[in-house]
Amino acid sequence: MKHYLLSVVTPAGGEPPSPEVLERIMRNVDGFHQELRRAGAWVFAGGLSAPATATVVRATGGDTLLTDGPYIEGKEYLGGLCIIKAPDLDAALAWGRKAAQAITLPIEVRPFEGEAED
């Protein structure tokens, strides 16, 4: 069984949803996660803090350089992720469709290299 990354593509600089809308989205996300668990496809999921909270660690020669904030400015950023187990890309894309419906944001589905250990 392969592992797939479902990345939540979040628009930068946008207004966050209202509390009522956010509450509904989070209920839908929780339902999606429960469905993954029941199907045995759950591995891990989590939301990420805003890009401004990031620190980039860069190797330079024998030392490292730390830089505050995101490395690249962009119109979108990785807002959260879910790692799932699926037998093939079609099954992973089906989970990606469900994630997009629950989260209401675009979802990038990407396989990990190699096969996962069960």
Side-chain angles (χ1 to χ4, degrees):
M1 186 103 45
K2 286 191 70 69
H3 281 163
Y4 291 85
L5 174 66
L6 307 182
S7 302
V8 180
V9 180
T10 305
E15 287 293 317
S18 69
E20 300 80 27
V21 171
L22 185 58
E23 183 180 331
R24 179 177 42 80
I25 290 170
M26 294 313 297
R27 273 196 316 270
N28 291 342
V29 169
D30 184 55
F32 170 67
H33 291 166
Q34 293 303 323
E35 185 177 355
L36 283 169
R37 285 182 176 99
R38 285 191 303 272
W42 171 268
V43 175
F44 174 81
L48 297 171
S49 296
T53 66
T55 302
V56 178
V57 181
R58 188 176 286 111
T60 57
D63 203 5
T64 56
L65 175 66
L66 303 179
T67 307
D68 290 337
Y71 176 67
I72 299 173
E73 292 293 323
K75 295 181 182 180
E76 299 171 328
Y77 64 91
L78 178 63
L81 59 99
C82 184
I83 299 172
I84 63 166
K85 292 185 286 186
D88 55 37
L89 180 58
D90 289 337
L93 291 172
W95 287 116
R97 287 182 188 94
K98 291 181 181 202
Q101 289 293 324
I103 297 169
T104 71
L105 291 171
I107 302 295
E108 178 186 44
V109 178
R110 188 184 304 185
F112 282 87
E113 293 288 332
E115 297 294 316
E117 299 279 330
D118 283 335

